């Protein structure tokens, strides 16, 4: 896709803290710099899907989706959208997946702000990470703080505080996501005054 060079000072001199350049291959790359709040830390998270809608619905119903989930931070750029920060493992041929526990850097996910909106989207893996061919199986928006508050109290079958996956303009329900583990840990790290986010279009 080519490359483009950005100077942090150049981006900081712009009120929007956002700059676009074309790569050597003609791809437009947006770079945004955001001041870090310096809190750092890690989110330990484990999720379970429950009765997910099969994205590979067939007459015989013998083929099931291969679900995984992505965690995204909202990007305040002219192109808008969401930036993938974390991707879970894939559970093959399963509509009630139990994903492995993951560790997510809070600085990357939400700039250390536990009340900042994030998105979690479940997708169907079809054998490649390239080309965005893995179809969406639904998503929901939340915050890190709400994830912690939504932790199941009575095992992985407890749907009392489960999130509902939504899909499409009509927001059809596509299944539920149960939070089995969600807690934050402080982590010593080198202080970072600014962090950059890059998007390609």
């Amino acid at each position: 896709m080519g490359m483009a060079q950005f100077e942090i000072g150049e981006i900081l001199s712009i009120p929007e803290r956002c700059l676009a350049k074309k790569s050597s291959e003609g791809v437009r790359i947006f770079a945004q710099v955001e001041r870090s709040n310096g809190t750092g830390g890690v989110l330990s998270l484990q999720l379970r899907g429950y009765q997910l809608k099969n994205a590979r619905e067939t007459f015989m119903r013998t083929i099931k989706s291969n679900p995984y989930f992505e965690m995204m931070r909202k990007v305040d750029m002219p192109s808008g959208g969401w930036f993938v920060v974390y991707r879970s493992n894939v559970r093959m041929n399963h509509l009630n997946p139990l994903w492995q526990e993951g560790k997510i850097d809070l600085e990357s996910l939400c700039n250390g702000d536990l009340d900042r909106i994030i998105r979690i989207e479940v997708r169907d893996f079809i054998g490649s990470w390239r080309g965005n061919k893995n179809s969406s199986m639904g998503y929901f928006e939340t915050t890190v703080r709400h994830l912690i508050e939504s932790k199941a109290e009575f095992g992985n079958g407890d749907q009392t505080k489960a999130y509902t996956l939504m899909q499409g303009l009509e927001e059809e329900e596509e299944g539920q996501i149960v939070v089995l583990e969600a807690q934050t840990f402080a982590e010593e790290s080198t202080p970072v005054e600014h962090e950059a986010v890059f998007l390609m279009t």
Side-chain angles (χ1 to χ4, degrees):
M1 294 185 179
M3 62 178 294
Q5 293 185 340
F6 293 87
E7 293 289 339
I8 296 295
E10 181 183 10
I11 301 175
L12 289 175
S13 66
I14 303 173
E16 295 80 10
R17 300 286 196 270
C18 180
L19 184 63
K21 290 185 178 181
K22 278 193 174 182
S23 73
S24 56
E25 300 297 326
V27 177
R28 188 170 57 166
I29 301 176
F30 285 94
Q32 181 188 44
V33 176
E34 183 174 346
R35 184 175 295 278
S36 169
N37 65 19
T39 57
V42 171
L43 169 67
S44 177
L45 181 71
Q46 185 176 28
L47 302 179
R48 182 213 170 175
Y50 186 75
Q51 293 186 342
L52 303 185
K53 185 175 181 179
N54 193 2
R56 307 186 187 196
E57 190 72 41
T58 63
F59 177 74
M60 297 298 295
R61 298 188 178 182
T62 57
I63 301 176
K64 296 179 182 178
S65 295
N66 305 321
Y68 66 95
F69 71 87
E70 295 177 335
M71 300 186 72
M72 295 171 274
R73 68 181 285 167
K74 190 170 181 59
V75 180
D76 296 323
M77 293 184 178
S79 60
W82 298 83
F83 182 77
V84 177
V85 172
Y86 173 82
R87 181 177 288 146
S88 76
N89 64 300
V90 178
R91 291 301 312 273
M92 304 298 288
N93 194 37
H94 216 304
L95 298 179
N96 295 287
L98 175 61
W99 291 290
Q100 296 172 1
E101 184 174 339
K103 300 293 191 294
I104 302 96
D105 179 70
L106 288 173
E107 196 74 35
S108 300
L109 179 63
C110 58
N111 202 30
D113 181 356
L114 303 188
D115 296 308
R116 181 169 178 164
I117 295 295
I118 60 174
R119 174 178 286 192
I120 296 178
E121 183 167 10
V122 178
R123 304 185 74 87
D124 179 17
F125 182 71
I126 60 170
S128 174
W129 299 113
R130 303 183 64 182
N132 197 30
K133 296 180 180 179
N134 299 324
S135 58
S136 175
M137 297 176 66
Y139 70 90
F140 63 92
E141 295 178 9
T142 185
T143 66
V144 172
R145 190 181 307 280
H146 197 269
L147 281 172
I148 296 172
E149 295 172 348
S150 299
K151 181 178 176 180
E153 299 178 6
F154 306 105
N156 63 19
D158 178 14
Q159 302 169 55
T160 306
K161 300 180 181 180
Y163 290 95
T164 299
L165 287 175
M166 310 302 290
Q167 184 75 281
L169 295 177
E170 297 182 0
E171 296 190 336
E172 297 180 1
E173 296 186 6
E174 303 289 309
Q176 292 187 309
I177 299 296
V178 176
V179 181
L180 299 181
E181 179 63 39
Q183 57 181 320
T184 59
F185 298 92
E187 184 177 78
E188 293 185 6
S189 59
T190 303
V192 178
E193 184 177 1
H194 297 90
E195 64 172 346
V197 175
F198 299 92
L199 278 184
M200 293 179 291
T201 60

